Amino acid sequence: MMRAPTLPPALAGDLRETSRRAGRLAYYVAGDGPPLLLVHSINAAASAYEVKPVFERMVAHRRVYAVDLPGYGHSDRSDRSYEIRLFTDAIHDMLDVIAEDTGSDPVDALALSLSSEFLARAAVERPERIRTLAFITPTGFSKGSAKAHGGIRTKASREVPGVYRFVSFPLWGAKLYDLLVSRRSIRYFLERTWGSKNVDDGMVDYDYITAHQPGARFAPFAFLSGRLFSRDVRDLYARLSVPVWMPHGTRGDFRDFSGVDWLKDKPNWRPQPFDAGALVHYEWPEEFVSSYLDFLGQG
C-alpha cells in the first residue's frame, strides 16, 4: 500500500514540542498579546487543522497556542493507553508551557466537541489557571445526556465493554481503520458534521494525510470504544465558575442541544447557536471571531 506523504504543518505558526505528563506534545504558537489556548476535537482524523480559522484570525489579537493532542498530528502516536486522564494532562502540560512562556496570568482557552470535556476537567482541577472558556459544539447537551451522565462525581468513562478489544483486534483492526479513513469516508463524515456537502476541501486533504501516519489508529480506537467520554461531564460543567461561551451548530449530526435548558440557572454560561454544522468557525469565521472577541472583552 502506498504511504501517505510526510505530514506537513497544519498551521502557519512555529511548530514546537514539549515532553511532560502526556509524553511528547507538538503545538503551534504565533502572535503577541494575552495567551489563548486552542484544542482540537477527537475523532478518527483529528489535528490542530480543525482550529485553523480561529488561529489565523486570533493571532492579530493574542499569542495563540494550538496543540496536537496525544495520538494526533505531530504528537506522540505510540501504542499506549489513551484515556481521559492522558488528554486532561495534555491540557495541563500546555498550560505549563504557556505559563513558562508568558507568565502566570490565567489563560483563555477554547476546545472543540469532546475535547471540551478534557478542558472542563482541567479547569475544575486548576481553576486559577483559566480566565475564560469557549466550547464549540461541546458534548453533554444532547437529548438524554442528563440521564446518561447523571450528576455523579466520578471520573469513570462511558466505555462500552468489549468494543475496544474488537476494533483493535490484530486480525482486522488495521483494515477497519483504513476503511474509516479513506478519502470517501473522511468526506462522508465531514458532510455529516457540516450537515452539508460544502465541507472544507483542505480539511479533507489534511485529514487523509494525518490519518495515515504511523500509529494513527491507536487514539481513534479509544474514541470509538467510548473510553474518552466522561460520565461526570454535567458535574464538571456545573462546577465551572469562569465565563463560558458555547457557540454551537444547528445542522448535521451534532445539532442536538435540547439539553441546553440545563444552563438557565448558570449565568456564567453564554450559549450561542449558529446556522451551521458543528464546526461553526469554518462556516462563519468572521462572525465567530467577532463574537468571541466580544465575549473575551467581558471575561
Side-chain angles (χ1 to χ4, degrees):
M1 182 177 65
M2 184 178 297
R3 291 179 59 85
T6 301
L7 185 65
L11 305 172
D14 293 335
L15 179 56
R16 302 179 182 178
E17 290 187 353
T18 186
S19 293
R20 304 176 189 240
R21 305 170 188 82
R24 182 179 57 79
L25 285 179
Y27 65 95
Y28 303 84
V29 59
D32 295 302
L36 169 64
L37 173 62
L38 306 180
V39 186
H40 66 76
S41 72
I42 302 292
N43 54 63
S47 74
Y49 191 98
E50 294 177 347
V51 299
K52 189 177 185 217
V54 184
F55 187 93
E56 291 177 339
R57 288 161 178 79
M58 290 302 294
V59 293
H61 309 276
R62 296 298 187 98
R63 184 161 180 79
V64 186
Y65 299 78
V67 64
D68 275 328
L69 288 171
Y72 292 100
H74 291 272
S75 292
D76 180 4
R77 300 196 191 209
S78 59
D79 186 2
R80 53 180 168 158
S81 181
Y82 290 90
E83 298 180 341
I84 293 167
R85 182 73 265 159
L86 178 66
F87 289 93
T88 305
D89 281 347
I91 292 174
H92 285 307
D93 288 348
M94 286 306 303
L95 293 173
D96 287 346
V97 167
I98 294 170
E100 292 168 7
D101 191 14
T102 68
S104 58
D105 289 343
V107 172
D108 297 304
L110 174 152
L112 275 62
S113 191
L114 175 57
S115 292
S116 300
E117 299 189 16
F118 311 136
L119 180 54
R121 189 176 299 280
V124 166
E125 292 175 349
R126 295 293 301 275
E128 76 281 2
R129 309 186 83 175
I130 300 294
R131 192 182 83 98
T132 68
L133 294 165
F135 300 146
I136 303 176
T137 315
T139 49
F141 290 93
S142 60
K143 182 179 179 181
S145 57
K147 180 180 179 181
H149 300 297
I152 55 176
R153 294 195 174 189
T154 173
K155 296 181 181 179
S157 77
R158 297 176 59 197
E159 182 172 2
V160 179
V163 171
Y164 182 83
R165 182 180 298 178
F166 174 79
V167 298
S168 63
F169 194 71
L171 285 179
W172 56 72
K175 292 180 180 178
L176 174 63
Y177 179 74
D178 286 343
L179 288 174
L180 287 173
V181 294
S182 68
R183 284 188 181 275
R184 178 177 294 182
S185 291
I186 286 171
R187 182 170 289 277
Y188 169 78
F189 286 115
L190 286 178
E191 287 177 358
R192 293 182 70 94
T193 299
W194 250 260
S196 163
K197 292 188 177 297
N198 297 320
V199 303
D200 183 83
D201 290 332
M203 183 177 289
V204 175
D205 294 338
Y206 198 86
D207 282 4
Y208 180 82
I209 298 172
T210 193
H212 287 82
Q213 299 302 304
R217 68 184 184 275
F218 298 127
F221 282 165
F223 166 71
L224 290 172
S225 74
R227 181 181 297 175
L228 304 182
F229 292 82
S230 300
R231 287 194 180 277
D232 64 338
V233 63
R234 282 290 186 90
D235 181 64
L236 288 173
Y237 289 161
R239 295 167 67 187
L240 296 172
S241 58
V242 299
V244 182
W245 183 46
M246 193 180 79
H248 64 88
T250 57
R251 297 197 315 264
D253 282 3
F254 307 101
R255 65 183 182 276
D256 182 3
F257 274 75
S258 54
V260 76
D261 287 348
W262 174 74
L263 297 175
K264 63 180 182 297
D265 297 323
K266 303 187 183 307
N268 60 311
W269 283 72
R270 186 197 294 183
Q272 184 176 349
F274 281 79
D275 180 18
L279 302 181
V280 298
H281 52 297
Y282 266 89
E283 297 188 63
W284 299 96
E286 304 303 335
E287 294 82 356
F288 178 94
V289 169
S290 177
S291 294
Y292 191 28
L293 287 172
D294 177 68
F295 166 75
L296 291 174
Q298 298 178 28

